[in-house]
Amino acid sequence: MRLWARRKSATLAGACVVSLLRTLRCCGFCGLPPTAANDPPRSLLNRIARATHDVYCGFALAERGDMDTLARVMFLLLCHVTSIAKQIVFMARASRIAKLVQNFDDMAYNPEETTRKDLLIKRAQGASRLGAAYAGTAALTCALWTIFPFLARLGGTRVMFALWVPFAYYSWPEFLIVLLYTHYATSLVAIANTTMDAFIATILGQCKTQLTILKMDFESLAERANERARETGEQVGAAAAALLVRCIKHHHKICDTSREVQAIFGGAVLLQFGIGGWILCMAAYKIVSLSVASLEFVSMVMFLMCILTELFLYCYYGNEVAVESAQVSDAVYGMEWMGPDGVGKEVRRALPFVICCSAGAARRPLRPAAVFIPLSLETFVTIIKSSYTFYAMLRQTQH
């Protein structure tokens, strides 16, 4: 386990975001160290992403009278809008994000017990798999979007790209230039956008894992206090009091991390929720007109899967943090307060304070939110219902 952690990060908790930050640096969407703020390749990639947003805007304005064509471009344009919003957050608040990541190297987040280490390793491995699978699906979707027009052009069909281009691309050289540009730009944005989503979700997932560790620490406090007393020779009560203080500080750190995530990314996630429904609506409007046996249909299904995953990640991990936070108070009540192997009179004196704090945590558990919208499974269901409502209204206006 130590060798695995050493290869990936200085600590097991910090290892969960290493692969995601590496991908964001390669895409040019992350200003965290060691990438310099004025790195020329990153600036070039950012210009390409913004230029792509501009040409989508130009095409949308030119075709705003044609609903079918507008639906074709709007779901891509809206994806670029949410991607740029998150990119601005990563650039403008790079120092706060860097501090957030560095906090995972704190000793409170990296316990020595084997069972706790196993949880941290699973979290890091799961984050790496999530980032790779999510970004891979987005890249495959963009590849299908490139193959489909290429095959159509080979078949003699005139291809019109869903973006504004200042020149005609009837001949093969111009067509290939536009095709390669759209593939590169959309793949860049897709991989970076999905990785940013995975990064935010992974931090929430790490908060959930830390709450699980904290719950285990509370439940085994008496046992660990007796073991520490035998090893150090101190009184059981004093050992239990020291462990209790450590648990309380750990809980405060988790709360601070969760609130900082909300403060940094809350606005961008709120925009994602607001636009996500329209993206699903426009994509659904587009997909119903496609042949089920076509590559374009397959690519649109994969695109819908990416958008649904994007929204679900925030809601799922936010919900997990809230549920796990509420269970911490149950772990406090489940401690072995009395008996010869209990926590000792020093901790029992603090019983009213601890119970008061745990009761408050039960009434007001950590509830990550996108500003004022809670990250919960209920929110995800609401977005899906709203998307269907928008879609039904859009279809009715066309008949």
Side-chain angles (χ1 to χ4, degrees), residues 39-53:
D39 189 15
R42 181 163 61 87
S43 300
L44 176 61
L45 294 175
N46 291 341
R47 292 192 186 100
I48 292 174
R50 294 191 183 100
T52 304
H53 170 265

Side-chain angles (χ1 to χ4, degrees), residues 11 103-112 210 246 250 253:
T11 61
N103 285 340
F104 287 147
D105 293 332
D106 192 283
M107 291 182 60
Y109 284 151
N110 295 275
E112 294 296 327
Q210 294 296 327
R246 184 185 300 176
H250 188 194
K253 283 185 174 294

Side-chain angles (χ1 to χ4, degrees), residues 226-250:
N226 282 277
E227 182 179 351
R228 174 171 170 169
R230 288 192 297 268
E231 293 176 354
T232 63
E234 61 183 323
Q235 296 293 323
V236 173
L243 293 175
L244 178 63
V245 170
R246 184 185 300 176
C247 289
I248 293 174
K249 289 182 177 179
H250 188 194

Side-chain angles (χ1 to χ4, degrees), residues 65-384:
D66 185 347
M67 181 55 68
D68 290 333
T69 306
L70 186 62
R72 182 183 174 194
V73 67
M74 279 302 293
F75 67 86
L76 291 174
L77 173 61
L78 294 174
C79 286
H80 279 269
V81 171
T82 58
S83 175
I84 289 176
K86 283 177 278 191
Q87 183 185 0
I88 291 173
V89 170
F90 270 84
M91 294 298 176
R93 300 174 179 173
S95 58
R96 294 177 65 180
I97 297 174
K99 185 177 180 181
L100 189 67
V101 172
Q102 291 169 1
N103 285 340
F104 287 147
D105 293 332
D106 192 283
M107 291 182 60
Y109 284 151
N110 295 275
E112 294 296 327
E113 292 86 347
T114 302
T115 54
R116 278 69 162 174
K117 284 185 176 181
D118 290 341
L119 290 176
L120 295 176
I121 289 177
K122 289 180 181 178
R123 171 58 58 195
Q125 292 174 336
S128 180
R129 287 192 293 265
L130 170 64
Y134 193 18
T137 303
L140 181 58
T141 303
C142 295
L144 291 176
W145 282 345
T146 303
I147 294 172
F148 170 73
F150 181 76
L151 294 178
R153 181 60 186 266
L154 283 177
T157 304
R158 181 184 172 184
V159 176
M160 184 178 68
F161 292 98
L163 74 165
W164 177 80
V165 180
F167 57 85
Y169 43 89
Y170 301 124
S171 64
W172 270 103
E174 289 85 357
F175 172 79
L176 290 176
I177 290 173
V178 177
L179 181 66
L180 291 176
Y181 170 76
T182 56
H183 173 69
Y184 178 78
T186 54
S187 297
L188 171 68
V189 173
I191 293 173
N193 195 25
T194 53
T195 305
M196 286 188 289
D197 294 328
F199 176 85
I200 300 171
T202 295
I203 294 181
L204 291 174
Q206 184 63 245
C207 290
K208 186 263 183 184
T209 299
Q210 294 296 327
L211 286 169
T212 302
I213 293 174
L214 178 63
K215 184 174 65 174
M216 294 168 64
D217 289 343
F218 272 124
E219 291 173 342
S220 62
L221 191 141
E223 178 184 347
R224 292 186 298 122
N226 282 277
E227 182 179 351
R228 174 171 170 169
R230 288 192 297 268
E231 293 176 354
T232 63
E234 61 183 323
Q235 296 293 323
V236 173
L243 293 175
L244 178 63
V245 170
R246 184 185 300 176
C247 289
I248 293 174
K249 289 182 177 179
H250 188 194
H251 187 252
H252 287 169
K253 283 185 174 294
I254 299 171
C255 293
D256 291 341
T257 299
S258 178
R259 295 189 187 103
E260 184 68 359
V261 171
Q262 179 176 336
I264 295 174
F265 300 107
V269 177
L270 176 64
L271 179 65
Q272 179 70 59
F273 283 176
I275 294 181
W278 283 104
I279 295 175
L280 291 174
C281 172
M282 291 296 179
Y285 186 88
K286 169 67 177 175
I287 201 172
V288 294
S289 62
L290 301 176
S291 171
V292 178
S294 65
L295 280 177
E296 191 174 7
F297 179 85
V298 176
S299 66
M300 288 302 301
V301 170
M302 294 182 66
F303 174 79
L304 282 173
M305 289 174 56
C306 288
I307 299 301
L308 289 171
T309 302
E310 182 177 46
L311 299 173
F312 181 75
L313 282 177
Y314 293 122
C315 296
Y316 172 76
Y317 282 109
N319 189 79
E320 287 291 292
V321 171
V323 171
E324 202 70 21
S325 175
Q327 292 178 356
V328 170
S329 59
D330 297 334
V332 173
Y333 281 104
M335 284 196 303
E336 191 172 352
W337 292 97
M338 307 300 292
D341 296 326
V343 294
K345 61 181 181 180
E346 288 85 353
V347 174
R348 286 200 295 272
R349 289 196 189 103
L351 177 60
F353 170 75
V354 175
I355 290 180
C356 181
C357 291
S358 63
R363 290 193 304 270
R364 299 182 301 276
L366 286 177
R367 294 190 183 278
V371 185
F372 55 85
I373 298 180
L375 303 183
S376 64
L377 297 180
E378 290 81 3
T379 299
F380 178 74
V381 174
T382 301
I383 294 174
I384 300 301

